[in-house]
Amino acid sequence: MSRGGALGPLRSLGTVGGALLASSALGYVLLALVARVLDEDRYAVFLSAWGVVFGFGSVLSVVEQEVSRYAAEARAAGRATPRAATQVLALAGGAALAVCAALALSPPGARVFGGLPVLGLLACVSTAGFAVQFFVRGVLVGRGLLRPYAAVLLVEAGIRLLVAGALALWLAAAPAGDPDRTVAMVAAVVTGSFAWVVAVRRVRGEVASAGPSEPWGALARDVAVLATAAGLTAVLLTGYPSLVVLVVGDSTGLAALFAAVTATRVPLLLLAPVQALAVPAVVRLVLAGRTDRLRLLLVRGGLGLLAVAAVGAVGGALLGPWVVATAFGSQYRTSGTTVAVLMAATVVVGGVLLESAALLALRRRPAVLGTWAVAAATAVVLLATWPGTAEDRGVAGLGGAALAGAVWATTALLRATSGEPVPGDQPGVAPVPGPGADWPQR
């Protein structure tokens, strides 16, 4: 293999990983800024709305996954991205927008948005923007255009922070509990959903305007399974504060918990570039007949995950409360035990995300859906029944969900790599470009 070929995956990891880490860091700066612009109760409402906005964004990530697959296959064949990619956009975008509107108009939605209907409208606007954004990103990454892809990631995070800073200065004289401040900060978040405008011209010539399309029924079934799995994933990640509010019934007094949940998400940021490249790596192992190697990596990864979770728990117990207070403000006080459990749970969830990527590469879509359905159901049950305060229930819900998801995903992956069929799954993988051909060169 040539040196350039050997470095192809590393360049891809560096380009995507660098942009993801930088954009995520800007996101944390934004959250820290908003924590100082709003009082604790309003900040809890903001984080609940944030969870809805990025929850629907997570659901719509299925658009990027499917569009990137179509784009990569078309690129390998020397063709433009087929019309099926726009069908995925129409199906997933339309469905997500309809569900978001229904939530915004419902009584549970009123609780999630803190009694501010305009936040529901903003969430719907963001959902529409995210649908197009993930379509653009899918085309870019599938066609190997990583620099424009990275630009969209950076503009998305940067514009939010700039707009939030400007609005914070404009409303500096308003009280910290003024609803207008909350609306302004959520509006700033929504602007990032339209970062796709910086790359839309680059994408226009990459997508076919005519040609054959996929059967709508079959395509809708595939998109529905993946979107449901993505939505359940979002419930435990960006949407977890919203889930807590829905089950507990009120966000009052939960600001410190939500701040701790946000702070302990850092390991997932470090994992993001690895997860983005996990699917092609697993596909290549399977096509090479190396499922034994995949199983060995699974065992080693599981043991390493347990070690990292233990270290994370100890670090969270000792330093967690100080980190939360330093990042979000001294008024956000939480216990070392809370941060320890949240940190360990986050590490385990990171492992489940990687296992889910492997299952997707093996086309075990129902197994992915089952993983996150079990995890989300566990979270809801524990939130509703665990004794103690609302914060105790929130911690137990996330910890239990992480463990349940890990057990389910590990079992499914072991079965998938042992040659045993998983009920309802589709064994095998589709052909992909040869080694090195699918690594972006621009």
Side-chain angles (χ1 to χ4, degrees):
M1 180 181 292
S2 69
R3 182 176 179 179
L7 292 178
L10 294 178
R11 290 197 187 101
S12 299
L13 185 62
T15 301
V16 176
L20 283 168
L21 291 174
S23 62
S24 298
L26 291 174
Y28 271 92
V29 173
L30 171 63
L31 289 171
L33 169 67
V34 176
R36 286 160 172 77
V37 172
L38 306 177
D39 63 19
E40 294 99 311
D41 289 339
R42 286 295 173 183
Y43 188 56
V45 172
F46 168 83
L47 287 178
S48 184
W50 170 285
V52 172
V53 167
F54 287 98
F56 279 100
S58 295
V59 171
L60 287 167
S61 66
V62 65
V63 174
E64 181 174 351
Q65 295 168 12
E66 288 294 281
V67 170
S68 65
R69 180 174 64 82
Y70 282 117
E73 292 173 354
R75 179 191 178 206
R79 301 190 305 267
T81 303
R83 289 178 58 196
T86 58
Q87 291 179 271
V88 171
L89 168 62
L91 285 168
L97 190 57
V99 175
C100 185
L103 173 64
L105 296 173
S106 69
R111 294 198 301 270
V112 169
F113 295 117
L116 297 173
V118 68
L119 298 186
L121 174 62
L122 287 172
C124 292
V125 171
S126 179
T127 298
F130 264 135
V132 181
Q133 185 140 302
F134 281 115
F135 173 82
V136 170
R137 283 169 49 171
V139 173
L140 290 173
V141 75
R143 306 296 292 189
L145 303 171
L146 281 196
R147 289 181 181 176
Y149 180 85
V152 173
L153 294 177
L154 293 172
V155 170
E156 177 183 349
I159 195 66
R160 287 193 184 105
L161 185 57
L162 288 174
V163 173
L167 290 176
L169 290 175
W170 183 45
L171 295 171
D178 191 330
D180 288 344
R181 285 196 173 201
T182 308
V183 173
M185 294 301 101
V186 174
V189 171
V190 171
T191 60
S193 306
F194 293 85
W196 51 267
V197 298
V198 303
V200 68
R201 290 180 61 184
R202 188 67 185 85
V203 165
R204 190 176 300 158
E206 302 286 348
V207 181
S209 57
S213 58
E214 294 285 340
W216 284 97
L219 192 62
R221 286 192 296 272
D222 288 344
V223 170
V225 171
L226 291 175
T228 303
L232 292 170
T233 305
V235 165
L236 298 179
L237 298 179
T238 53
Y240 192 66
S242 304
L243 177 66
V244 174
V245 173
L246 279 173
V247 177
V248 173
D250 189 9
S251 62
T252 303
L254 289 172
L257 171 65
F258 293 167
V261 169
T262 302
T264 55
R265 288 289 181 257
V266 172
L268 298 183
L269 307 182
L270 302 176
L271 187 67
V274 179
Q275 184 191 3
L277 301 176
V279 172
V282 172
V283 167
R284 274 191 282 273
L285 284 173
V286 174
L287 289 178
R290 296 298 307 278
T291 53
D292 57 334
R293 174 65 175 169
L294 184 57
R295 287 173 65 84
L296 179 60
L297 290 174
L298 173 63
V299 173
R300 290 178 176 175
L303 294 175
L305 188 72
L306 292 176
V308 174
V311 172
V314 173
L318 297 177
L319 300 176
W322 174 81
V323 171
V324 172
T326 301
F328 297 97
S330 58
Q331 68 272 33
Y332 294 92
R333 297 186 181 91
T334 188
S335 69
T337 301
T338 292
V339 182
V341 174
L342 292 177
M343 179 60 76
T346 296
V347 173
V348 174
V349 167
V352 178
L353 286 169
L354 286 177
E355 290 181 316
S356 295
L359 287 167
L360 280 176
L362 295 165
R363 290 198 175 184
R364 309 289 179 167
R365 290 170 178 162
V368 176
L369 177 58
T371 295
W372 296 107
V374 167
T378 301
V380 171
V381 169
L382 291 176
L383 280 169
T385 62
W386 192 265
T389 65
E391 180 173 324
D392 294 336
R393 293 156 66 185
V395 173
L398 191 57
L403 290 175
V407 170
W408 188 278
T410 301
T411 302
L413 195 51
L414 286 173
R415 293 181 64 187
T417 56
S418 67
E420 298 180 37
V422 179
D425 285 350
Q426 303 170 2
V429 293
V432 295
D438 56 340
W439 292 108
Q441 300 298 318
R442 285 174 281 180

